[in-house]
Amino acid sequence: MVGELKGFVVFCFAGFELDSQRAELRGPGGGVIKLRPKTFEMLRLLVTNAGRVMSKNELMEAVWPNVHVGEDSLFQCIREIRTALGDDRRQVVRLASGHGYLFTAEVSAVQAAAVGPITPSSVEPARPEPRSGLPTSRWSVVDWRKPVALVSVVAAGAVVAVLMVASAWRPDPVSNGAGPALAIMPVVGTGTDPEVAAMAQGVTERLTDGFAGIENIRVIASPTAALETASASSAQPALVIRGELQRGARSWTLQTRMIDTATGEIQTVATVSVSADEPDRQRQQSQLAAGAGYQLARRLNGMLVASKTSAATGGPLDDAKVVIEQANASINQTTPERFSMAQTILQKALAADPDNVDLAIALAGLQMRGIQMVWYRPAEARAAEAHAGAVLEHALQLRPNSIPVLESYCRFLSATNHFAESLVTCARTLKFDPWNGLALFLVGLGQLHLGRFDDALATFLQADRYDTPPVSRWTWLVGVGWAHVMMGHNEEALPWLNRSIAITAASGRSYMLLAAANQQLGRIDEARAAMKKGLKLRPGTTSLNVMPPIKNASPIFIDTSKRIVRFMVAAGLPER
């Protein structure tokens, strides 16, 4: 443990410097690594207690005094610390199973000269440095009909997605990135109930935190004075978000509007409701802010990422939408013949307009679906995968900040088992839509396959806390259950898997995980009943194909999956 020196102290470890006066973490090259205040405070606690296990409760009470927060907030800080330190192998900040965290690096403390008072506005409040780009290209544009082997790459180090958590309200700008300014007005609570006012303030803080994490805008957190004094100058925010919160008999309802300050035109309206019966007020605030923020962020992204006109005809993107609708109509019956027809429609349209990203996304998604449904012969499947990768990378070159493009590439990398790379792309998706539950699910899926079960569980739980978009809810519910089963928490897995099944059977996998959990708990009848339902939904499933492909998965994931499959077999899964 490092004792505090009198005055200002700089802590040195593994080439890093933690400056307690400036609230700075500096890397081996001297550059400042930006951390959120809560993350910096947790790192300071770990560094000053190096060599001693600090319990989770001890850390949470120190970083969030007198405030109840879930463990997902703690996990988020730990992930951000590991990312900042390049601690991909989790050797510097180690998890002491069942106890807490241990900082293992050797730490020395040196006296620092005073440099004058540090004012709140001089401290960068909330965001890790944006990454310099996406993974380098591995696919070249090819004729999809010719078999093309994917080029293998050395997986990058594990990367953690940017997950937003609440932080203290500040009356100054909370982000200073490039791009238009966005003013977030305090959400107004209807009526005089003090609980409504408190909820409105919490929702405002969470909306502000989320938008502050978006890379290509600047956010004004307490903009009233700025709006009153700003003239028609560059100081005036380009957009303003206003919202009203109302409590009904059984629900909270938040309505928000994004307004163009120059014209007064409402760009979009987002309305979201959550149950008032939920006892966790922080969860309610998170879901209200996420539900509105998800819709607003996507609209904002669409405004900032200019739509390209057709390179071939000069026509608007409406032409592409018609083609995509025709392709979707052709595949409604999901037969190989209709799949081929839809693919031909999209191929011809994209050949005529190769820079149309909407067509690229639609074709790549269709080809991945064809691979998953086994509608290609093996050689064709390899070529289709290579083509889909090339098409999406070209789309990324055209629109590197587009949420739909980033989402599609994230799904593609996850579906093709490029998990380390998918974490990078999914993290970038969250830089433009921090409430994106599907991106969080794919992050968790990558972490799961890389053997980082505790990180995966925290990520799935964060997706559940945001609950956006609701149509994807079953995915992170089964994710939480899956992570629990992998960690041996079978009792905890059951309600999550059952909730997922209540929404969708998920092609039977949820039932089969449910069978494995019940089998391990000694509930043999329940296990066999669940497996019977799973096999009905997925006929032909055996121990050889029940789990997803293990390419690029970690040995920990592979070994644990084999153990779980043995319990599935005991519950009635055919071995061959």
Side-chain angles (χ1 to χ4, degrees), residues 34-304:
K34 295 177 182 178
L35 295 174
R36 295 183 303 109
K38 297 296 186 184
T39 304
F40 180 89
E41 177 60 16
M42 186 168 293
L43 176 58
R44 189 192 67 80
L45 283 169
L46 290 168
V47 168
T48 56
N49 289 274
R52 179 174 77 85
V53 174
M54 297 195 73
S55 70
K56 295 176 182 178
N57 287 338
E58 185 179 6
L59 288 168
M60 292 169 71
E61 289 174 3
V63 177
W64 293 276
N66 303 316
V67 178
H68 174 72
V69 295
E71 285 193 351
D72 54 340
S73 297
L74 169 67
F75 297 151
Q76 168 64 10
C77 288
I78 294 295
R79 286 195 297 271
E80 291 176 358
I81 289 170
R82 286 171 171 162
T83 299
L85 302 182
D87 186 21
D88 298 335
R89 296 173 62 84
R90 296 185 285 178
Q91 297 300 304
V92 178
V93 181
R94 290 185 182 176
L95 175 65
S97 182
H99 299 288
Y101 292 91
L102 173 68
F103 194 83
T104 64
E106 184 175 341
V107 179
S108 60
V110 298
Q111 192 80 40
V115 295
I118 303 297
T119 61
S121 61
S122 69
V123 179
E124 175 68 21
R127 300 192 293 157
E129 282 283 2
R131 299 190 177 277
S132 58
L134 294 163
T136 55
S137 176
R138 297 175 293 109
W139 292 278
S140 58
V141 179
V142 295
D143 183 342
W144 75 273
R145 292 164 297 183
K146 297 178 181 179
V148 178
L150 289 176
V151 179
S152 63
V153 296
V154 177
V159 183
V160 180
V162 179
L163 311 178
M164 304 309 299
V165 294
S167 64
W169 174 263
R170 295 178 180 80
D172 58 321
V174 297
S175 66
N176 57 2
L182 175 70
I184 300 179
M185 303 298 292
V187 173
V188 177
T190 59
T192 58
D193 187 343
E195 185 179 11
V196 176
M199 280 287 290
Q201 180 178 347
V203 171
T204 304
E205 292 173 0
R206 284 159 173 75
L207 272 175
T208 302
D209 285 339
F211 278 103
I214 294 178
E215 187 172 289
N216 56 350
I217 61 172
R218 292 175 293 119
V219 175
I220 300 174
S222 185
T224 305
L227 288 174
E228 290 175 351
T229 58
S231 59
S233 67
S234 59
Q236 187 175 15
L239 297 162
V240 176
I241 292 177
R242 298 180 182 273
E244 294 82 36
L245 179 67
Q246 182 176 8
R247 180 171 186 174
R250 300 295 302 273
S251 66
W252 292 93
T253 300
L254 173 68
Q255 184 178 79
T256 52
R257 303 176 305 284
M258 186 161 61
I259 305 166
D260 186 320
T261 55
T263 65
E265 180 182 356
I266 296 176
Q267 297 296 319
T268 190
V269 176
T271 303
V272 60
S273 295
V274 301
S275 172
D277 297 332
E278 165 67 55
D280 187 342
R281 287 290 181 259
Q282 290 193 3
R283 181 180 177 86
Q284 289 175 324
Q285 292 168 2
S286 292
Q287 289 187 338
L288 287 166
Y294 174 82
Q295 300 175 58
L296 296 169
R298 298 181 79 85
R299 171 58 178 154
L300 176 64
N301 184 259
M303 293 166 61
L304 296 178

Side-chain angles (χ1 to χ4, degrees), residues 224-416:
T224 305
L227 288 174
E228 290 175 351
T229 58
S231 59
S233 67
S234 59
Q236 187 175 15
L239 297 162
V240 176
I241 292 177
R242 298 180 182 273
E244 294 82 36
L245 179 67
Q246 182 176 8
R247 180 171 186 174
R250 300 295 302 273
S251 66
W252 292 93
T253 300
L254 173 68
Q255 184 178 79
T256 52
R257 303 176 305 284
M258 186 161 61
I259 305 166
D260 186 320
T261 55
T263 65
E265 180 182 356
I266 296 176
Q267 297 296 319
T268 190
V269 176
T271 303
V272 60
S273 295
V274 301
S275 172
D277 297 332
E278 165 67 55
D280 187 342
R281 287 290 181 259
Q282 290 193 3
R283 181 180 177 86
Q284 289 175 324
Q285 292 168 2
S286 292
Q287 289 187 338
L288 287 166
Y294 174 82
Q295 300 175 58
L296 296 169
R298 298 181 79 85
R299 171 58 178 154
L300 176 64
N301 184 259
M303 293 166 61
L304 296 178
V305 180
S307 297
K308 280 187 172 290
T309 57
S310 170
T313 65
L317 274 176
D318 287 345
D319 296 343
K321 292 179 181 177
V322 172
V323 173
I324 293 169
E325 288 173 0
Q326 290 174 342
N328 289 337
S330 296
I331 201 172
N332 275 344
Q333 295 184 22
T334 61
T335 64
E337 294 75 22
R338 287 187 173 271
F339 167 79
S340 179
M341 183 186 302
Q343 181 173 248
T344 300
I345 291 172
L346 291 172
Q347 284 172 337
K348 288 181 177 179
L350 189 60
D353 188 1
D355 288 346
N356 191 305
V357 297
D358 289 339
L359 290 171
I361 291 170
L363 178 57
L366 183 74
Q367 290 180 320
M368 290 309 300
R369 183 179 180 187
I371 293 170
Q372 292 168 338
M373 297 296 292
V374 199
W375 284 336
Y376 290 112
R377 288 188 290 270
E380 291 177 335
R382 291 192 296 271
E385 182 177 321
H387 182 264
V391 163
L392 289 174
E393 288 198 350
H394 182 61
L396 276 172
Q397 292 173 1
L398 296 171
R399 293 194 199 170
N401 297 340
S402 166
I403 292 173
V405 177
L406 287 164
E407 280 180 337
S408 296
Y409 196 47
C410 176
R411 285 196 297 269
F412 171 80
L413 291 170
S414 180
T416 55

Side-chain angles (χ1 to χ4, degrees), residues 467-491:
D467 200 33
T468 52
V471 69
S472 299
R473 182 180 299 148
W474 72 270
T475 61
W476 55 76
L477 293 178
V478 72
V480 175
W482 192 358
H484 275 308
V485 172
M486 297 294 276
M487 298 169 73
H489 305 161
N490 295 292
E491 193 70 58

Side-chain angles (χ1 to χ4, degrees), residues 547-570:
M547 285 297 182
I550 60 174
K551 180 183 73 174
N552 298 329
S554 75
I556 296 174
F557 175 85
I558 294 171
D559 290 344
T560 305
S561 295
K562 289 179 179 178
R563 178 179 60 81
I564 292 170
V565 169
R566 289 198 295 271
F567 286 103
M568 291 182 179
V569 170

Side-chain angles (χ1 to χ4, degrees), residues 404-471:
V405 177
L406 287 164
E407 280 180 337
S408 296
Y409 196 47
C410 176
R411 285 196 297 269
F412 171 80
L413 291 170
S414 180
T416 55
N417 282 47
H418 294 93
F419 299 116
E421 294 153 293
S422 75
L423 291 183
V424 177
T425 305
C426 294
R428 185 151 182 80
T429 306
L430 291 162
K431 293 292 280 184
F432 300 100
D433 179 8
W435 300 281
N436 191 319
L438 182 58
L440 287 170
F441 166 72
L442 293 171
V443 169
L445 205 58
Q447 292 168 330
L448 201 68
H449 282 79
L450 293 172
R452 295 158 50 192
F453 302 151
D454 55 340
D455 287 343
L457 178 60
T459 302
F460 292 138
L461 287 171
Q462 186 66 56
D464 181 61
R465 192 171 186 86
Y466 288 160
D467 200 33
T468 52
V471 69

